[in-house]
Amino acid sequence: MALVLKISGRVFDNEELVLKYAEILNKLPGRIAVVAGGGEVARRYIAVARKGGASNTFQDLLGIYASRLNALLLISLLKDAYAKVPRNMEEFLEAWGRSRIVVTGGFQPGQSTATVAALVAEAVRAAALLNAANIDAVYSDDPRKNPNATRLSELKYDEFERILRSSNLPGGYELIDTWAVSILKRSCITTYIFDGRTPEAIEAVVRGENPGSKITC
Amino acid sequence: MALVLKISGRVFDNEELVLKYAEILNKLPGRIAVVAGGGEVARRYIAVARKGGASNTFQDLLGIYASRLNALLLISLLKDAYAKVPRNMEEFLEAWGRSRIVVTGGFQPGQSTATVAALVAEAVRAAALLNAANIDAVYSDDPRKNPNATRLSELKYDEFERILRSSNLPGGYELIDTWAVSILKRSCITTYIFDGRTPEAIEAVVRGENPGSKITC
Amino acid sequence: MALVLKISGRVFDNEELVLKYAEILNKLPGRIAVVAGGGEVARRYIAVARKGGASNTFQDLLGIYASRLNALLLISLLKDAYAKVPRNMEEFLEAWGRSRIVVTGGFQPGQSTATVAALVAEAVRAAALLNAANIDAVYSDDPRKNPNATRLSELKYDEFERILRSSNLPGGYELIDTWAVSILKRSCITTYIFDGRTPEAIEAVVRGENPGSKITC
Amino acid sequence: MALVLKISGRVFDNEELVLKYAEILNKLPGRIAVVAGGGEVARRYIAVARKGGASNTFQDLLGIYASRLNALLLISLLKDAYAKVPRNMEEFLEAWGRSRIVVTGGFQPGQSTATVAALVAEAVRAAALLNAANIDAVYSDDPRKNPNATRLSELKYDEFERILRSSNLPGGYELIDTWAVSILKRSCITTYIFDGRTPEAIEAVVRGENPGSKITC
Amino acid sequence: MALVLKISGRVFDNEELVLKYAEILNKLPGRIAVVAGGGEVARRYIAVARKGGASNTFQDLLGIYASRLNALLLISLLKDAYAKVPRNMEEFLEAWGRSRIVVTGGFQPGQSTATVAALVAEAVRAAALLNAANIDAVYSDDPRKNPNATRLSELKYDEFERILRSSNLPGGYELIDTWAVSILKRSCITTYIFDGRTPEAIEAVVRGENPGSKITC
Amino acid sequence: MALVLKISGRVFDNEELVLKYAEILNKLPGRIAVVAGGGEVARRYIAVARKGGASNTFQDLLGIYASRLNALLLISLLKDAYAKVPRNMEEFLEAWGRSRIVVTGGFQPGQSTATVAALVAEAVRAAALLNAANIDAVYSDDPRKNPNATRLSELKYDEFERILRSSNLPGGYELIDTWAVSILKRSCITTYIFDGRTPEAIEAVVRGENPGSKITC
């Protein structure tokens, strides 16, 4: 069974972390689809574009190009990854099956890389989606705001959706968008959320552990 | 300023209606992007695929292929439409600007053609999105269920989102998905919703009338 | 050695039959190229386009899009088929060799899917072309018109061409076009024609039987 | 109204003739689609491939590549031609409309460039197809074999088909294949056949003259 | 006559400068091809890749992806630029002619964006190549090393090549590679080199002035 | 480890030689990338284009198309070659890994096929580049001009560059361009240069012999 790994864009702002991810992916057995986020480069380019009056379409495209740059960096460090960054689902399906690892970035405007990861997980009928996030687990509320927020090791998609919706207020914490969740839920794909700064968590999940939160349908 | 026209897939199940849309688009001045839905053909193919155990990805792709068939039918009847059906935003942007009319269908799995229409409206900085729907206007509740539902001629996106969310229950009425709405809202694009069986409504909107509901930010 | 299977578009108008073909292809060993016809969906869209004054080019393209929809439906039901529908010979050659099964539809205007099947058979140096047709065998004349028409179990391409030419009159029966035959003949590819409603015939041919007609050079 | 010009591959074996065609096309007003044949280069490469046991598919592809080389040579000499050689009908349709002149070669195996020209003429709803051939007109029989063959200035497609079929014997003269003729006939496109060594004939046709044979439906 | 503008990657490290370039290009009349360099983002990604043992091919590809991100940023700020970043000469030729401005980045490994600019200048038969560089003009030697280096307002390509070759030592200053120069020389395209931090220099060149160095054949 | 074989265009002017190369490549074990030159066909088409005033860009493109025709001829004769001719590095990388042998021609204007071979060698991290040249080895000077030129069996890239530069005068001999050499040098790829008329030299190199010159870093 294949795995899908979503790597937060922020990971790519840290050189050592990128090399560590490559090292782990080179050792990991089985087939893996990786989806890279945009990170600091994306944010910086989007800011300039917005300042100059660019449309939302182009702001999003800049984020997508930045995520593809991150994807290519990872490809350059892997031993048996597909040599190109697929730009949409049809290209991804074409790439998948020819190489052990396929790395992609964003697909199109108006869509997060988390949603790309969910769609990819559905397309490869993934055993699980591993989300290397900016937070170490799912909490009942934003832990940076609410000291009473409790850490949730295991939860169902219905509960996850409720949490995301209630915290989707100004100040709410961005973990994954509801569109991505609805896709994972409709195909019953288990999601693991863990801290992106600890790439060893990937190996933990493969060993059957739960280094952060595990979400099931 | 360009217009975007979203045509419900059901329109394509009615031969006379398709010819009427083509007639009106051939007379309409200005630049137009059209997004075709999947309709009965989509539903039938998806049903067979599901019965045979196909993944959600392929079920969605079948709907996309069916919507592209509808798009091509419309192209074949138009005088100055772009000759191909763009398959993603990058292809759409390439097509746009070369022909007065560009007709597209679905873009990718996990995404409605309503969302494609919203993304296209954003990309062309459209004056308005005209939604030729399966209902004649927005109602405060599902009119087929609730006899007290009131017809709303003008409303704001915030109110529209509230209605969509509350009716997003089993039995709720499907008009447009919340992802499409969030895109239209972030770019402040006016949406007109009218009955897809009355293509003359397009001309009414162009004349400044409101044949169904008008949603603004 | 590879096989090429041409499936009449009419098969796709019958849900059960489609599922049965998928089941057989999933069990069949060896490499297989499948070419899907357009069927009822093609006919219906072409009729609307013709009524609206569309060119022959677009009428043919609608038939091609419909055949691709049929091809994708089959792909969605197969375990190791190539995930995309090749759109011309160059794309087909690229796909061939990467998956055990490649499914395609029409290639271009002015060309039948029977001709596509013949070209594909030539390209993969197929052992045989299996034509799942709208008739159960080749007859000396149109059996629906001439009660004296005799069923031909084995025949040569020269004789086949003579029959096709003589029956190529108003009212003649359409089985395969002469262009397809001339390609099969020049590359000496054996063709089996059998009733498309009996997919088991594929297994019969593989076992060395002749369920309908066998044409050789 | 657009014109389609089919240039026999042999023209490209003659440097002066190629330059003369470019000169005339650069002066000619209106929109023009040009289809280049393969010529001596095609024949030579196909011969080597056949000697080495290559399939018919690759033999045909070599002819197509050679015709694209001829097409590019013409493009390099034209002032407002589309810069690329379209490789199939979908690419041709994309190119058409963006430049005054589009030059193409062969499209796919098993198909002559005469057929490409017929399909292109249909696609652009051409006023006429100008066939710069290896012969100066249509004759009632092969003039190189039969001294009584009479030159036909005007004829109908039905008569043309009869002549082509009867001379389609070993030793018959190759002018245009019957598949191309059936396409031209179904769309009622007038064909002019004239000697490819006299490019001035193009201007004659545009002036309303008939320098060789004129075939109508 | 068209202009080609090569913008040093370092310009894209400065937000204000990028906006200023966009402003000037939006006002400039005529047709313009722009080639963006890679800048700081390119350098940073290449450094990580090298550290992780990536091949030169991938190191170069990362630089190319970074330059395409810069190109897209500029496109997002321009009013009538082609919406995509061409990835090779064939795509560039396809884009050119459809929009007033086409912006590209690197084309392929082993090749500088200066060379891309030279090839593009040749392809569009440019009146001149404007090189917005990291230095304000050509000097007889590296001005940062040799205080006696003299500023050269006008020079010939032969002299320019001599200077580049002699300074192509460890410590020599990188202005433009000799491959780019050999292309500009063979097609006799005038090059203007000026300080990339002063985008107004573009308008000066258009007015007939020489804000830095002018190189002719 | 993979090998890269650069075949001089002149080889393709000799039918027997082409068949011999195919025979040897069909027997050779391991993975091989082949780069075909343009030869006589290229020279002839470029000459016509130049006479008609075509740009350097199109002259180069004609040479590239001719080299692709040569590449396809070789593909048609090989048993397990990739069926298409990659047109740039991104397409090459996509093809590589799917077939034992990938054959390519030129990539883009302003670049020799020797440079393509060097870039390809870098991309596949080739054990060696085998250059089937128009000369049997590297000489200290042009042997056709200088009777005292000595044959060099082994040399370093530094020495090779010195020789190429000094002979890069009118009348100097064209063996490989300095751009190609700089790429081979930066990635430390061993080059073997031998007489293209003796394809057996390929087997000699594989056996560990040095049939011409061996260049190392």
Side-chain angles (χ1 to χ4, degrees), chain F residues 150-210:
Chain F
T150 55
R151 196 177 188 275
L152 301 169
S153 278
E154 303 211 359
L155 65 167
K156 298 284 177 196
Y157 277 113
D158 288 340
E159 191 182 351
F160 191 32
E161 278 184 320
R162 256 195 317 275
I163 293 171
L164 288 174
R165 226 174 258 142
S166 68
S167 62
N168 195 3
L169 310 161
Y173 67 108
E174 258 182 70
L175 182 65
I176 190 172
D177 51 306
T178 50
W179 189 37
V181 174
S182 70
I183 291 161
L184 293 165
K185 188 179 160 187
R186 79 170 184 179
S187 286
C188 261
I189 295 161
T190 301
T191 296
Y192 291 87
I193 288 179
F194 54 84
D195 191 334
R197 288 167 302 182
T198 59
E200 314 78 51
I202 297 169
E203 297 166 310
V205 170
V206 170
R207 280 193 307 269
E209 299 168 20
N210 173 9

Side-chain angles (χ1 to χ4, degrees), chain E residues 8-10 13 38-48 50 62-63 66 134:
Chain E
S8 163
R10 297 207 190 157
D13 303 334
E40 182 54 28
V41 172
R43 268 182 294 279
R44 191 149 58 77
Y45 276 75
I46 291 169
V48 183
R50 186 182 302 120
L62 285 165
N134 295 328

